Amino acid sequence: MVSFPTIEEINDAAERIQPYIHRTPVFTSKTIDHLCGRRIYFKAENLQKVGAFKVRGATNAVFSLLDNQLKGGIKSVKAVATHSSGNHAAALAYAASCGAIKAYVVMPENAPEVKKAAVAGYGADITFCESTQQSREDTLASIIEQTGAVFIHPYNDYRVITGQATAARELLEQVPELDAILAPVGGGGLLSGTALSAAALKPGTAVFGAEPEGADDAYRSLQAKKIIPITNPQTIADGLRTSLGDLTFPIIQRYVKDILTVSDTDIINAMRLIWERMKLIIEPSAAVPIAAILTKKDRIKGNKIGLIVSGGNVDLEKLPWLKRN
Amino acid sequence: MVSFPTIEEINDAAERIQPYIHRTPVFTSKTIDHLCGRRIYFKAENLQKVGAFKVRGATNAVFSLLDNQLKGGIKSVKAVATHSSGNHAAALAYAASCGAIKAYVVMPENAPEVKKAAVAGYGADITFCESTQQSREDTLASIIEQTGAVFIHPYNDYRVITGQATAARELLEQVPELDAILAPVGGGGLLSGTALSAAALKPGTAVFGAEPEGADDAYRSLQAKKIIPITNPQTIADGLRTSLGDLTFPIIQRYVKDILTVSDTDIINAMRLIWERMKLIIEPSAAVPIAAILTKKDRIKGNKIGLIVSGGNVDLEKLPWLKRN
């Protein structure tokens, strides 16, 4: 029988990462409440270090390694490594810098300049590769062989899942009585962590995943009762183009009530609404749960709904509502 | 001898408006601190009701009227009125709706659609006029004559100044030890209120005004020791194109240490920096104090600096760093 991460491990993670992360605020908006017909609590992980919840999982992974090393459980850890074009790369670079170890990050050559600059800014060693999955994996394998760095997967890792779980744990401390929590789902690290925290702390709180229609592998996988990877994701929500992993899927299958899918038009409308009315910069992936509650109200019961606003890293030159871009 | 608003009046205002406004959070950013060489505390009035500090002054004015009416001091108040194309119009419309009285707002025909929609959304009665000062004043005078509405000036009114003063009062509660506070200056309502709160609560805290070079009437007026109105303001900071009033100027002259001016390029750079690094939507006027501390570090002494982030109402179709716009 599979043993999922426990609430004690989530509590330990919260304590472990606390010096390195923000306790992000929870915002409300009467305008949004009115549109949704209920009270919405926005857990603002866009204001988190490196602009995304990803720093929770990355710092938990890095400091779990360092804690184990201190206890003599493993040999000396000098470096971590990953391949990512997104928030996990910056998060791991930041976490490694906090732990005074090296980070090696494999990024596709065509990654946005702003992301390259962020990763470099945290002192990581970047290796560029072609933008295929094969090139990423080969390049990473070669770096790990050369450097002995420990691979930290962006989501299919219990240390990462446990770290991401601390966001919902914090939200439930800040707003104890929630009827439901929505989180976006890409690889499933945030959603599985959210589900674990809610199931342990507030079993009456229903957890939903929100997913773009053009990358709806979580929806299809839950329907099929097995992982159905996405082959050619088509969505503006760049953080949600990945597929579920074999560690995240069983947790989601067990604890998540439903997956709600939304169109890119709904995502862009929701993103713009939050920019205009709440004055918060959120990235397209973070708008997905908001789009879900705006367009699929009837699927979610209850009056107090929590949303994990996953991140705020947007290319300010290319806003999706400006047609020329 | 002129008698300025007292700290007791500011305390009363804070209590009076508390049910209708947000206690906005104070944010910090290690990146910004590093760039400025000191610790910066951002009082996020962009997250305030109607997206700007203006709601403090407007609600204080409206509820001061209603309080006086209750005490029998004045005849029945049925409506308030103002002319404004900006945040004061929306703020007064909101405040009137909270007090269940009518608001009449005179707006130039060419005001941005988003501002018209905001004012209408709070239930105000809008009258459009030509975009000259004369047309605004004539139209307003005629409405006041017809309706008996009480004129609430956007800044040259002690009730408004006292309301705006509650922002710095709150900031000094949240961060008691500040070496300096910077606020933008247009008509001077926020700056004079900020100076009054600081002088009363923390006389050691230096207060600076920050002003666009293309609308530097406060700088010139302090130099000349008399009000020198701006005749043809040229700045992207649309909230700061107005000139000091005869009530705000003496307070600023007495309590403000200095006025720092910045170019529109500095303003746009500062605005973009806050969007990118802090994930907060701030309007150009709100970026002016940030631009001042980034470009004129040497003029401000001390390690702990508070900034009033005045508002976040921006046309998301027209971002100043996108050249086409």
Side-chain angles (χ1 to χ4, degrees), chain B residues 201-224:
Chain B
L201 298 169
K202 298 278 169 181
T205 302
V207 173
F208 292 85
E211 192 172 43
E213 284 172 2
D216 64 345
D217 65 292
Y219 175 77
R220 288 168 192 261
S221 299
L222 279 193
Q223 293 286 315

Side-chain angles (χ1 to χ4, degrees), chain A residues 22 25 27-28 30 46-47 49 51 114 122 272 275-281 312-319 321-325, chain B residues 22 25 27-28 30 46-47 49 51 114 122 272 275-281 312-319 321-325:
Chain A
H22 290 309
F27 294 113
T28 59
K30 284 206 178 155
N46 58 325
L47 305 184
K49 288 276 180 192
V114 59
Y122 294 116
R272 182 166 182 167
W275 285 45
E276 279 185 348
R277 302 309 303 228
M278 298 186 73
K279 313 301 177 194
L280 295 174
I281 292 184
N313 293 320
V314 179
D315 185 345
L316 294 177
E317 300 284 345
K318 293 187 182 166
L319 300 182
W321 50 80
L322 297 180
K323 287 196 190 72
R324 142 185 106 134
N325 294 311
Chain B
H22 289 310
F27 294 114
T28 59
K30 285 204 178 158
N46 59 323
L47 306 183
K49 288 278 180 190
V114 59
Y122 294 115
R272 182 165 182 167
W275 284 46
E276 278 184 349
R277 304 308 304 230
M278 299 187 71
K279 312 303 177 194
L280 295 174
I281 293 184
N313 293 320
V314 179
D315 183 345
L316 294 176
E317 300 284 346
K318 293 188 182 167
L319 301 182
W321 49 81
L322 297 179
K323 287 196 191 69
R324 145 185 102 134
N325 293 312

Side-chain angles (χ1 to χ4, degrees), chain A residues 52-188:
Chain A
F53 77 91
K54 290 271 182 186
V55 78
R56 295 178 179 268
T59 48
N60 191 49
V62 164
F63 286 90
S64 293
L65 281 171
L66 295 175
D67 286 355
N68 280 342
Q69 178 187 318
L70 274 180
K71 291 180 198 144
I74 54 171
K75 67 184 167 66
S76 170
V77 178
K78 296 230 165 42
V80 287
T82 199
H83 60 82
S84 162
S85 57
N87 289 328
H88 177 63
L92 191 66
Y94 169 79
S97 76
C98 292
I101 62 172
K102 189 89 193 161
Y104 296 95
V105 174
V106 175
M107 298 184 88
E109 286 157 342
N110 62 358
E113 289 303 321
V114 59
K115 303 252 169 167
K116 294 178 190 172
V119 173
Y122 294 116
D125 192 304
I126 306 178
T127 305
F128 294 106
C129 68
E130 291 174 44
S131 72
T132 64
Q133 188 68 14
Q134 194 61 49
S135 171
R136 286 180 178 215
E137 288 177 6
D138 291 350
T139 311
L140 181 66
S142 140
I143 283 172
I144 287 174
E145 198 181 308
Q146 289 163 38
T147 63
V150 179
F151 175 46
I152 307 292
H153 192 280
Y155 53 87
N156 207 41
D157 179 315
Y158 279 145
R159 297 163 298 192
V160 172
I161 293 168
T162 310
Q164 318 306 28
T166 63
R169 177 183 180 276
E170 234 175 70
L171 171 60
L172 286 165
E173 276 177 10
Q174 292 163 305
V175 190
E177 304 303 332
L178 289 174
D179 298 307
I181 302 178
L182 274 72
V185 56

Side-chain angles (χ1 to χ4, degrees), chain B residues 12-21 55-57 59-60 163 166:
Chain B
D12 287 349
E15 192 179 339
R16 183 179 296 123
I17 69 180
Q18 181 271 326
Y20 312 106
I21 67 157
V55 77
R56 295 177 180 269
T59 47
N60 191 50
T166 63

Side-chain angles (χ1 to χ4, degrees), chain B residues 47-128:
Chain B
L47 306 183
Q48 186 52 268
K49 288 278 180 190
V50 317
F53 77 91
K54 290 272 184 186
V55 77
R56 295 177 180 269
T59 47
N60 191 50
V62 164
F63 285 90
S64 292
L65 281 172
L66 296 176
D67 286 355
N68 280 342
Q69 178 187 319
L70 275 180
K71 291 179 198 145
I74 52 171
K75 66 186 169 64
S76 170
V77 177
K78 295 229 165 43
V80 287
T82 200
H83 59 82
S84 162
S85 58
N87 289 327
H88 177 63
L92 191 65
Y94 169 79
S97 77
C98 292
I101 61 173
K102 189 91 194 160
Y104 295 95
V105 175
V106 175
M107 298 185 88
E109 285 158 344
N110 63 355
E113 287 304 320
V114 59
K115 303 252 169 166
K116 294 178 189 170
V119 172
Y122 294 115
D125 192 305
I126 305 178
T127 306
F128 294 106

